Amino acid sequence: MPRLGLIFGDQLNENHAVLECLDPASDTLLMGELTDETSYVWHHGKKIALIFSAMRHRAAELRDAGWSVCYQYFGQEGECRSFTDLVRQRLSEADHDEIVVSWPGEWRVLDEVRGWEATFGKPVTVLPDTRFVCPLEDFERWADGRKQLRMEYFYRLMRKRTGLLMAEGKPSGDSWNYDRENRKAWRGQPPAARPMRFSPDQVTCEVLALVAEKIDSFGGLEDFDLPVTRGQARQALAHFIRSALPHFGDYQDAMADDEDWLFHSRLSFSLNLGLLDPVEVCRAAEQALEDDEAPINAVEGFIRQIIGWREYVRGIYWLKMPEYAELNALDSRQPLPEWYWTGKTGMRCMEKTIATTQRHAYAHHIQRLMVTGNFALIFGVLPKEICEWYLAVYADAYDWVELPNTLGMVMHADGGLLGSKPYAASGKYIQRMGDYCKHCRYKVADTVGEKSCPFNALYWDFLDRNRQRLEGNPRMTMMYRNLERMDEDRLQAIRERAEWIRENVNTL
Ligand code: FAD
Ligand code: DLZ
Ligand code: SF4
């Protein structure tokens, strides 16, 4: 009897395990645009449009390749809200003796899939998710018995496994990591790279109209320009390698008031939909090094983000879920300030980062980490609320990658499992790495007083409040030494300013 293969909307990869296991001559593929998936957070409209358009294009490609694809359009007749409803509906129309999926990108969905044998009385096979370099069992084996998990050591293993930037068993250039060279501020030169833009075709125009009309979503839909097929994603990759990679390393940590992308790749959208393969992306960067088109600090830095951080956060997610989502090691309890959703704040760095987010469903890593993330950390936002925000507003956001980055890397709510120290910083860091402060109503040089930069008092207050938890961390010794030098009157004034900010945060 024929089998049923469910393709999740973010698993559009050509090497999908279900496609390798099923037979187009006898089996059916199932895909669906589902109300529950569009509403479990208040997603950005461009994120939903991207996923729907990419799904529709992929379904057409699969049909062209000879597959029978059963595709549920959003709002199509029938009460089909969830993946479970989708499978139930299909089984009511045709008989299948087995359901086959690939490991989903969210624990929530895996939990749902695990109930299907009982619900439908059919065997359910969960195949590996082939969008990643490191199988989950290998990550578990690597993590097993280690006192401390550190990305750097995992990354070296991935370098050896893939052979990327390796020469005769040694790292190319004799160093594993060139991060020290990647911390320049950007002062307008070289000109920022322009990402490749794709005009919406008819399919994308239809989903944009659908989202505008039928789905309550965050952010704007104007100027949608994202790649929605593998062909377009490959063009975007080639464009990035040519135009931005050479400077990616130097300005990786930079921020700029009037530049949304700088030298970032904007490839996370396509990588996380399976339109690009991580190793293919890294090989393209490696080739640029071999061709003398990009320096090693850029190429190594870029590859580290993909086979290092991206694989590492996914490994941590599956190693620790579902308990991970509940952690709150710093006991952060503040509600998320309202202007995270509206962008209406006088703090220029926040206003600009949120405006970029509203416009593009994108902000680059340093904006996510050191602006919106840093504020949430030092202000003490409840992890659940800030995680929900990040999961909603970015078009590359899925639980496997958003949660460890937000809860672990930004909020330190896992007590240091993912990263060795919280990335807490005052306004001085934001000033050093960009030019927002020049345009801000607050004074970055001041720590107390009505006009003082809110990041400053919150930063010292964060260190003070978390002294017991963080003081012993060797990577924070300098920070605590500076706090120690502060006299009690000054510290008291800072505490009062921080308290005022907490009580009046929505007016900032
Ligand atoms: P580039 O700067 O060009 O980097 C190249 C690639 O490296 C990215 O496309 C991405 O695939 C990978 N990468 C870089 N850093 C990370 C990282 N920390 N974790 C995983 N992959 C990484 N990334 C997501 O893909 N989805 C998310 O939901 C997401 N949420 C984040 C939340 C917070 C609080 C923070 C601090 C980071 C988050 N990131 C997330 C990581 C990173 O910010 C984005 O991957 C990156 O900004 C995407 O833009 P880009 O493609 O231009 O990246
Ligand atoms: C994020 C998302 C959205 C908005 N919509 C859909 C959808 O309609 N259909 C679908 O199959 N997937 C969607 N997704 C992605 C899922 O939420 C989920 O992250 C993955 O399918 C799990 O791999
Ligand atoms: Fe941000 Fe403070 Fe600088 Fe204003 S002064 S842009 S709030 S860091």
Side-chain angles (χ1 to χ4, degrees):
M1 227 193 300
R3 291 168 293 176
L4 182 62
L6 175 59
I7 307 282
F8 295 119
D10 58 343
Q11 297 184 342
L12 308 179
N13 42 318
E14 285 182 343
N15 66 344
H16 196 299
V18 168
L19 304 181
E20 319 239 307
C21 163
L22 265 52
D23 181 356
S26 53
D27 301 325
T28 298
L29 302 177
L30 180 61
M31 298 173 82
E33 299 168 5
L34 303 164
T35 320
D36 281 2
E37 295 308 306
T38 58
S39 60
Y40 63 86
V41 287
W42 194 38
H43 296 287
H44 199 298
K46 283 190 177 172
K47 174 181 183 184
I48 301 172
L50 168 68
I51 294 172
F52 282 10
S53 178
M55 284 173 70
R56 290 183 185 194
H57 280 98
R58 184 72 184 124
E61 283 168 7
L62 288 165
R63 285 194 183 112
D64 287 348
W67 287 93
S68 157
V69 182
C70 174
Y71 192 97
Q72 172 80 19
Y73 290 92
F74 191 84
Q76 201 177 318
E77 298 244 320
E79 183 55 22
C80 203
R81 292 187 63 92
S82 65
F83 289 118
T84 305
D85 294 343
L86 184 67
V87 173
R88 182 182 294 112
Q89 178 174 284
R90 173 67 197 175
L91 293 178
S92 73
E93 292 162 356
D95 210 3
H96 293 279
D97 62 359
E98 187 185 352
I99 303 161
V100 187
V101 299
S102 144
W103 193 275
E106 315 218 351
W107 192 87
R108 169 186 66 82
V109 179
L110 181 66
D111 198 38
E112 190 176 338
V113 169
R114 282 179 171 154
W116 288 351
E117 286 204 352
T119 308
F120 300 120
K122 312 246 176 220
V124 177
T125 303
V126 182
L127 299 170
D129 181 353
T130 46
R131 291 176 303 160
F132 297 91
V133 177
C134 184
L136 294 175
E137 310 76 73
D138 292 9
F139 189 87
E140 245 173 69
R141 216 170 301 128
W142 173 78
D144 190 35
R146 277 171 199 263
K147 271 218 306 254
Q148 248 192 356
L149 303 184
R150 285 297 163 251
M151 193 286 292
E152 182 63 28
Y153 298 109
F154 170 75
Y155 164 57
R156 291 179 190 179
L157 185 70
M158 291 301 103
R159 288 268 295 274
K160 288 181 197 154
R161 171 169 298 188
T162 57
L164 282 159
L165 298 185
M166 297 296 294
E168 293 166 12
K170 291 201 174 133
S172 306
D174 274 341
S175 177
W176 289 104
N177 185 316
Y178 290 79
D179 209 24
R180 259 169 291 117
E181 296 177 30
N182 290 359
R183 291 177 195 156
K184 287 193 190 142
W186 180 74
R187 304 285 177 225
Q189 287 300 326
R194 294 276 158 259
M196 185 167 240
R197 306 193 56 185
F198 299 90
S199 304
D201 62 4
Q202 200 189 329
V203 173
T204 304
C205 288
E206 279 168 17
V207 299
L208 285 166
L210 167 80
V211 174
E213 198 189 322
K214 300 229 167 89
I215 302 178
D216 178 26
S217 58
F218 170 83
L221 287 169
E222 304 77 33
D223 297 327
F224 183 97
D225 64 353
L226 300 173
V228 293
T229 62
R230 173 160 167 76
Q232 289 183 340
R234 284 185 56 79
Q235 286 179 47
L237 168 63
H239 175 81
F240 162 71
I241 299 284
R242 257 192 329 268
S243 64
L245 179 66
H247 303 296
F248 176 88
D250 286 353
Y251 304 110
Q252 198 179 347
D253 284 1
M255 294 181 273
D257 193 71
D258 56 359
E259 285 294 340
D260 294 330
W261 321 103
L262 289 170
F263 302 94
H264 292 275
S265 70
R266 225 173 65 137
L267 293 175
S268 54
F269 307 127
S270 306
L271 276 162
N272 295 354
L273 283 176
L275 299 179
L276 290 174
D277 177 77
V279 173
E280 152 187 57
V281 170
C282 293
R283 292 253 179 261
E286 188 184 48
Q287 189 61 47
L289 176 70
E290 282 165 21
D291 296 345
D292 276 338
E293 282 164 9
I296 190 146
N297 67 312
V299 172
E300 187 282 317
F302 180 70
I303 288 178
R304 176 160 23 93
Q305 305 314 309
I306 296 179
I307 61 165
W309 279 112
R310 185 169 183 272
E311 298 283 330
Y312 179 69
V313 299
R314 175 180 184 251
I316 299 258
Y317 178 84
W318 286 109
L319 193 66
K320 296 294 174 187
M321 280 298 279
E323 296 77 17
Y324 197 74
E326 305 304 320
L327 300 177
N328 187 0
L330 298 183
D331 198 27
S332 303
R333 300 267 161 221
Q334 295 295 325
L336 187 73
E338 287 159 13
W339 35 255
Y340 268 82
W341 295 107
T342 63
K344 292 193 176 129
T345 165
M347 288 184 285
R348 181 74 171 193
C349 53
M350 294 293 275
E351 183 195 8
K352 280 292 205 161
T353 300
I354 297 168
T356 302
T357 303
Q358 288 170 316
R359 227 176 17 255
H360 301 302
Y362 177 90
H364 63 68
H365 185 65
I366 296 304
Q367 292 171 312
R368 296 189 207 194
L369 182 66
M370 300 310 295
V371 181
T372 43
N374 181 24
F375 190 94
L377 169 72
I378 60 183
F379 183 69
V381 174
L382 191 67
K384 276 217 182 300
E385 294 202 5
I386 188 68
C387 289
E388 185 177 324
W389 185 80
Y390 277 101
L391 186 59
V393 301
Y394 293 114
D396 56 22
Y398 303 88
D399 213 36
W400 65 266
V401 54
E402 175 278 323
L403 188 75
N405 268 299
T406 311
L407 188 140
M409 190 183 300
V410 159
M411 298 304 290
H412 208 67
D414 62 4
L417 176 82
L418 184 130
S420 52
K421 73 170 180 100
Y423 286 89
S426 68
K428 212 189 255 179
Y429 176 89
I430 295 173
Q431 181 192 29
R432 191 167 64 241
M433 298 313 295
D435 57 349
Y436 294 124
C437 304
K438 282 188 201 153
H439 309 274
C440 186
R441 85 150 79 123
Y442 294 101
K443 290 190 179 146
V444 70
D446 294 357
T447 301
V448 293
E450 231 177 274
K451 291 272 167 225
S452 65
C453 166
F455 281 84
N456 291 342
L458 288 175
Y459 167 74
W460 293 111
D461 181 70
F462 168 82
L463 291 182
D464 184 39
R465 275 190 289 119
N466 288 291
R467 206 185 277 257
Q468 279 208 324
R469 295 186 181 102
L470 301 175
E471 196 172 32
N473 183 331
R475 295 202 56 203
M476 300 193 72
T477 308
M478 272 293 271
M479 289 165 148
Y480 276 98
R481 213 170 276 156
N482 291 337
L483 183 67
E484 283 315 313
R485 283 201 208 107
M486 205 173 273
D487 69 51
E488 190 51 37
D489 290 350
R490 172 101 175 137
L491 192 52
Q492 191 49 35
I494 287 174
R495 286 187 190 123
E496 282 164 23
R497 170 74 174 145
E499 190 51 31
W500 186 92
I501 292 171
R502 270 192 288 278
E503 281 169 12
N504 298 279
V505 68
N506 287 315
T507 68
L508 286 177

